[in-house]
């Protein structure tokens, strides 16, 4: 059973690396945050796309793989995200 858990951990790790989790986190750290450490999602995703040099559809596909590391909330009609990962 240990080998299975190890394999699943490696697979999850490689998925987040492929999705560019480090780029998502770096862009978040460099972004201007509000008083609660939230960043506006639309402008954030644009910055990530520019950094990855990928189309918006690709960035959102990567986002689906790593969104569990972020907290998402709405303030009015605007979506905000906050990094809660390690």
């Amino acid at each position: 059973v240990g080998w299975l858990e190890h394999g699943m951990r490696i697979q999850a790790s490689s998925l987040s690396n492929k999705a560019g989790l480090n780029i998502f986190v770096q862009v978040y750290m460099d972004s201007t945050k509000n008083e609660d450490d939230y960043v506006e999602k639309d402008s954030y995703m644009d910055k990530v796309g520019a950094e990855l040099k990928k189309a918006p559809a690709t960035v959102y596909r990567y986002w689906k793989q790593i969104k569990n590391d972020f907290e998402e909330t709405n303030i009015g009609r605007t979506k905000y995200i906050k990094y809660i990962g390690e």
Side-chain angles (χ1 to χ4, degrees):
V1 176
W3 61 270
L4 179 61
E5 290 175 1
H6 180 69
M8 290 175 62
R9 220 176 300 127
I10 289 174
Q11 183 181 10
S13 155
S14 64
L15 275 176
S16 65
N17 288 339
K18 182 180 179 197
L21 175 62
N22 55 349
I23 300 289
F24 279 86
V25 172
Q26 185 61 44
V27 170
Y28 174 81
M29 295 300 174
D30 293 342
S31 296
T32 305
K33 300 168 195 68
N34 67 9
E35 62 275 356
D36 296 326
D37 287 337
Y38 282 95
V39 175
E40 186 179 352
K41 185 178 178 183
D42 289 338
S43 62
Y44 169 77
M45 295 301 253
D46 290 341
K47 291 176 186 176
V48 170
E51 189 72 27
L52 289 172
K53 297 181 176 90
K54 300 286 183 184
T58 305
V59 173
Y60 276 92
R61 193 172 337 121
Y62 289 167
W63 173 255
K64 287 180 184 178
Q65 295 176 2
I66 62 155
K67 69 181 179 181
N68 293 333
D69 290 331
F70 290 84
E71 178 182 321
E72 192 169 334
T73 188
N74 290 346
I75 301 175
R77 293 178 59 181
T78 307
K79 292 187 179 201
Y80 289 88
I81 58 169
K82 179 180 183 178
Y83 181 65
I84 57 172
E86 299 167 4

